[in-house]
Amino acid sequence: VQLVESGGGSVQPGGSLKLSCVASEFVASMGWFRQAPGKRREGVGGIESNGHMIVADSLKERFSVSKDNAKYTLYLQMNDLKPEDSGIYYCAGGVAGWWQLLQEDEYRFWGRGIQVSVDS
């Protein structure tokens, strides 16, 4: 399975971005992770094929995850972006249960990542 992210870029604080991740075939569970310079990769959000979706507690007021199963595409809508949201955002795919969607070890397939920069 190949995963390809798009939609990253530079944005000013308070702005919005929507990331997309297209899979080469159906993947049951998909998630977003991010890694800031000098920090560990962290789970952002994920969604199962049945639609059960979770977002990290610290982000749920501003971020949302959705999935179009027919298009094999995962989305991450990011609003009110802050400089601390900057980093590389990765798409991941696997068979994680809803309680595992933020655990990177539960994912088998990974995209190459895409840069998101938030600064003025």
Side-chain angles (χ1 to χ4, degrees):
V1 177
Q2 295 183 332
L3 303 173
V4 180
E5 303 98 337
S6 63
S10 295
V11 64
Q12 293 186 337
S16 297
L17 280 176
K18 186 173 184 178
L19 304 184
S20 299
C21 171
V22 180
S24 58
E25 59 187 83
F26 176 78
V27 181
S29 298
M30 298 181 75
W32 289 101
F33 292 78
R34 69 181 185 181
Q35 187 168 23
K39 295 188 176 181
R40 294 181 61 183
R41 189 157 58 185
E42 64 175 349
V44 174
I47 189 167
E48 288 185 296
S49 59
N50 62 9
H52 195 125
M53 181 270 288
I54 62 171
V55 177
D57 287 344
S58 62
L59 300 173
K60 62 176 58 178
E61 294 296 322
R62 301 183 294 119
F63 289 16
S64 64
V65 177
S66 60
K67 189 181 180 198
D68 187 331
N69 285 326
K71 296 182 179 180
Y72 304 158
T73 302
L74 177 72
Y75 302 99
L76 177 64
Q77 178 67 49
M78 304 184 290
N79 299 322
D80 189 24
L81 283 160
K82 306 177 185 301
E84 53 264 38
D85 295 317
S86 297
I88 305 293
Y89 282 70
Y90 298 91
C91 175
V95 292
W98 67 266
W99 64 97
Q100 302 167 318
L101 290 172
L102 298 183
Q103 300 173 25
E104 61 178 292
D105 290 345
E106 299 297 328
Y107 290 92
R108 180 178 178 184
F109 310 107
W110 290 85
R112 299 179 67 177
I114 192 165
Q115 178 72 48
V116 170
S117 298
V118 185
D119 58 58
S120 53

